[in-house]
Amino acid sequence: MKGLIVVNAYAKTTETRQVVRMREELLKLGINTDTVRNDLFFARVLSSDKIYSRLDGYDFCLYLDKDKYASFALEKHMRLFNSASAIENCDDKMTTHLLLSDSGIPMPNTVAGLLCYDKSATVSDDAVNMVVDTLGLPVVVKQAYGSMGTGVFKADDFAQLKSLMQRFMCEPHLFQKYIASSCGKDLRVIVVGGKVLGGIQRSSDNDFRSNIGLGGTAVKSDVPDVVQEYAVKAAELLGLDYCGIDFLYGEKPLLCEVNSNAFFDAFEQATGINVAGAYARHIAQVIDTSQKK
């Protein structure tokens, strides 16, 4: 069995901690891998009826990128972890909320931002008031695409909210109820192959966002049974082999975001859980089972 690890076309290096750990754990299972940047158009549409691939001899691809076009093209030729549709479902935060709606999984009240195609347009006071009336103040404003806490802002008053609405007017974005009881902290849960591996509490003393990349810290945390139930259900509904799911501390746990390519270095250090090993074993089992059919 041989695997391919794909990282973003503009990544400064392919030797990230995530890549190194996954390669180590896959090798323990006798699986060799090659790592490539997604910058040489490996899968291309060269005729009206077929997608051609320049990558042969691989049983699977560990896809650590968010280029949905390349992922759907590569998936025509090999099994992707995660699948192209699963990555797409998580990459757009609003799409994630829409797909998980009516599932019984509690989430913060969320409103999709108005999309605009005229940069000279002006956000109306009525639109701002509608967000305030629906979600209250403060309110969280998020770009629909983004990771590690980037593109996430808190508007404390009408003027700040209107300014952010104007700023992101021509980009996909959303508004979310601010959960004061979870300010600066959340619960990150890792799910692999439909099973919860464990959890960490991420905390920040100087930011309402708790992301490790923004200076937050992580400690091992128990995962309540109900959160485990929500996490497994969300991963299943979104079609994920692997994910990190963030829950806010409200009157009840609230699913905030689902990350298809969640970094696990801080999680492994805080918990001692071998996330890479569990993911590698899951990949091997899925491919082995499919090859025996």
Side-chain angles (χ1 to χ4, degrees):
M1 192 183 300
K2 188 172 183 180
L4 177 71
I5 301 177
V6 172
V7 301
N8 183 262
Y10 299 98
K12 294 180 180 179
T13 176
T14 60
E15 295 299 302
T16 65
R17 180 66 178 166
Q18 201 93 336
V19 169
V20 171
R21 288 286 297 117
M22 288 305 303
R23 192 166 57 222
E24 288 175 350
E25 294 299 331
L26 286 165
L27 188 59
K28 289 179 183 179
L29 301 175
I31 303 172
N32 291 303
T33 55
D34 292 331
T35 305
V36 297
R37 287 188 183 85
N38 195 10
D39 63 350
L40 294 178
F41 303 98
F42 297 120
R44 296 176 286 179
V45 178
L46 297 180
S47 68
S48 61
D49 64 343
K50 187 173 182 180
I51 294 176
Y52 293 82
S53 174
R54 297 173 55 238
L55 296 168
D56 297 316
Y58 295 102
D59 298 289
F60 67 88
C61 172
L62 177 58
Y63 196 78
L64 302 180
D65 195 5
K66 293 186 178 181
D67 183 333
K68 70 176 183 179
Y69 305 118
S71 67
F72 278 102
L74 282 173
E75 200 167 57
K76 296 285 186 178
H77 297 273
M78 67 185 80
R79 173 67 154 86
L80 263 61
F81 294 89
N82 284 294
S83 71
S85 60
I87 293 171
E88 183 179 37
N89 290 342
C90 294
D91 196 25
D92 183 335
K93 295 179 176 64
M94 193 64 220
T95 295
T96 303
H97 279 270
L98 292 170
L99 291 174
L100 294 181
S101 63
D102 298 322
S103 67
I105 301 173
M107 296 180 287
N109 292 342
T110 302
V111 176
L114 304 174
L115 294 182
C116 177
Y117 305 97
D118 179 2
K119 292 183 179 180
S120 66
T122 301
V123 173
S124 70
D125 285 354
D126 286 343
V128 182
N129 281 322
M130 182 62 72
V131 175
V132 175
D133 291 344
T134 304
L135 301 176
L137 287 170
V139 64
V140 176
V141 182
K142 294 183 180 180
Q143 291 177 282
Y145 299 94
S147 57
M148 296 183 288
T150 61
V152 179
F153 305 86
K154 180 165 66 75
D156 292 311
D157 54 37
F158 181 97
Q160 288 181 354
L161 177 56
K162 185 171 184 178
S163 176
L164 287 168
M165 291 175 71
Q166 191 73 41
R167 175 179 172 182
F168 298 125
M169 180 176 59
C170 293
E171 303 175 36
H173 61 285
L174 60 88
F175 309 102
Q176 202 164 69
K177 183 176 179 61
Y178 175 66
I179 309 301
S181 54
S182 199
C183 179
K185 62 180 180 180
D186 67 9
L187 174 62
R188 161 65 61 89
V189 176
I190 295 288
V191 179
V192 177
K195 298 179 180 179
V196 170
L197 294 189
I200 55 173
Q201 179 174 296
R202 304 186 303 176
S203 303
S204 174
D205 294 329
N206 52 23
D207 198 316
F208 78 98
R209 299 165 296 180
S210 59
N211 303 77
I212 304 299
L214 297 176
T217 59
V219 295
K220 184 177 181 179
S221 174
D222 292 333
V223 182
D225 290 344
V226 67
V227 173
Q228 294 194 43
E229 178 185 334
Y230 294 150
V232 170
K233 188 173 185 178
E236 179 182 2
L237 290 172
L238 297 172
L240 291 154
D241 293 283
Y242 165 84
C243 61
I245 306 180
D246 302 332
F247 289 88
L248 301 179
Y249 297 100
E251 293 182 4
K252 55 186 174 182
L254 299 170
L255 187 151
C256 182
E257 293 186 9
V258 182
N259 305 275
S260 63
N261 279 334
F263 295 124
F264 54 68
D265 190 33
F267 189 98
E268 287 191 329
Q269 291 182 30
T271 65
I273 296 171
N274 187 345
V275 177
Y279 196 7
R281 289 191 297 274
H282 171 72
I283 291 171
Q285 182 179 16
V286 169
I287 297 303
D288 185 59
T289 300
S290 67
Q291 290 178 344
K292 289 179 179 178
K293 290 181 178 180

